[in-house]
Amino acid sequence: MKLVRYGEAGSEKPGMIDSAGTLRDLSAHLDDITGAALSGAGLDALRALDPASLPAVTGNPRMGPCVGGIGKFLCIGLNYSDHAAETGQDIPEHPILFFKANSAVVGANDDVVIPRGSRHTDWEVELGVVIGTAAKYVSEEDALNHVAGYCIVNDVSERRFQMHLSGQWTKGKSCDTFGPTGPWLVTRDEVPDPQNLALTLDVNGTRRQTGTTATMIFTVAQIISHLSQLMTLHPGDVISTGTPPGVGAGIKPKPVFLRAGDVMDLAIEGLGQQRQNVRDDD
């Protein structure tokens, strides 16, 4: 299934994309696509519905973040061997964890806003993992059974805020609009192997990132197992699993960063596409 949240920001409705690509309204069956709807029983109830019986949504509504009421937005840094190489950093021994503020989350095609004082806003296409059932002390072998589905995340980053304002990476990761998520949540049964997905990101029509989840240092299963030893992962939590090479900060001989008027196009195999226009903060 492809589950969506559509409509104006803050008033999104739950929906489903049927096999023909038509958006169907789920409002008669649940209030929102949140952790409560993403349990095994919740997803089974949605699968039992006949999409043709659901009202078709007309027009071209905005796609909001594909998960509402996110509890934790966890992010993994330096998780692609080729990305670590382009930044000149060592392969980490354990997953590098930082958090992105939930207030950064926006829809897949919403504007990305460059914060005041920023000169180093960067892009990062990433595989997002959405937890469906609570995970605590889970093994790698069992980890994927706790996944509801997958989505695209753009882990937008302000590199000076991240690296030079002291403290943690969170400072450069949590600015408003720095977490486009979606356009839809693709349930686990439609993604046979999360370690075999192609990722791309273009800026103004120029390909900047090309990668595959096969080059992840830590697999999705390893990440979930590791994090679950440290904290309980709850339904609706989102994990952004790292980015392949090609970020602006890694461009030689001179880094390239986002400016107002730029357009980013992101895609992950089987998970759809994102497009964000970049603008300055008012």
Side-chain angles (χ1 to χ4, degrees):
M1 289 185 296
K2 294 182 176 68
L3 301 177
V4 302
R5 301 172 67 250
Y6 70 94
E8 296 299 317
S11 301
E12 292 92 347
K13 297 179 179 180
M16 173 191 297
I17 306 295
D18 69 17
S19 59
T22 300
L23 173 59
R24 302 280 182 170
D25 181 55
L26 284 171
S27 297
H29 300 276
L30 72 166
D31 294 330
D32 201 354
I33 306 294
T34 62
L38 297 176
S39 67
L43 293 178
D44 285 345
L46 295 179
R47 289 191 187 95
L49 298 174
D50 177 8
S53 70
L54 302 171
V57 178
T58 59
N60 187 30
R62 166 187 174 270
M63 291 295 174
C66 59
V67 183
I70 295 172
K72 297 188 287 293
F73 202 122
L74 305 106
C75 302
I76 306 300
L78 291 177
N79 194 35
Y80 283 71
S81 55
D82 34 12
H83 174 54
E86 77 172 342
T87 63
Q89 300 190 63
D90 294 334
I91 299 294
E93 182 178 357
H94 304 287
I96 295 173
L97 173 66
F98 61 91
F99 286 79
K100 185 182 285 283
N102 293 359
S103 56
V105 177
V106 291
N109 302 314
D110 290 346
D111 289 352
V112 165
V113 180
I114 297 176
R116 294 179 183 177
S118 169
R119 296 292 182 270
H120 301 89
T121 297
D122 206 345
W123 55 82
E124 295 190 13
V125 60
E126 305 200 1
L127 172 65
V129 179
V130 182
I131 298 298
T133 59
K136 186 172 179 64
Y137 301 134
V138 302
S139 66
E140 291 179 25
E141 293 72 21
D142 186 47
L144 295 186
N145 292 326
H146 294 265
V147 173
Y150 302 92
C151 63
I152 305 173
V153 172
N154 189 354
D155 177 22
V156 184
S157 309
E158 212 299 339
R159 301 302 185 190
R160 187 178 69 85
F161 295 2
Q162 176 185 353
M163 306 303 293
H164 299 293
L165 291 188
S166 301
Q168 301 177 339
W169 286 7
T170 299
K171 289 185 178 181
K173 300 285 190 170
S174 292
C175 302
D176 294 349
T177 76
F178 273 25
T181 303
W184 40 66
L185 170 67
V186 180
T187 51
R188 184 181 77 228
D189 56 297
E190 295 194 11
V191 184
D193 184 2
Q195 303 310 142
N196 188 31
L197 301 175
L199 308 86
T200 61
L201 183 146
D202 298 349
V203 180
N204 301 329
T206 298
R207 180 60 46 86
R208 292 298 188 184
Q209 289 188 275
T210 302
T212 169
T213 56
T215 67
M216 280 185 178
I217 298 166
F218 303 102
T219 66
V220 172
Q222 289 172 326
I223 291 167
I224 292 171
S225 178
H226 176 76
L227 294 179
S228 78
Q229 311 307 311
L230 310 174
M231 67 192 80
T232 301
L233 302 176
H234 292 103
D237 286 352
V238 176
I239 306 170
S240 198
T241 57
T243 199
V247 299
I251 294 175
K252 304 293 191 297
K254 183 178 180 181
V256 175
F257 296 110
L258 294 167
R259 296 290 181 264
D262 288 345
V263 178
M264 291 180 283
D265 289 286
L266 297 75
I268 298 182
E269 183 179 358
L271 303 185
Q273 300 177 337
Q274 295 187 354
R275 167 171 280 201
Q276 296 107 29
N277 295 309
V278 180
R279 61 179 175 85
D280 288 329
D281 203 356
D282 296 332

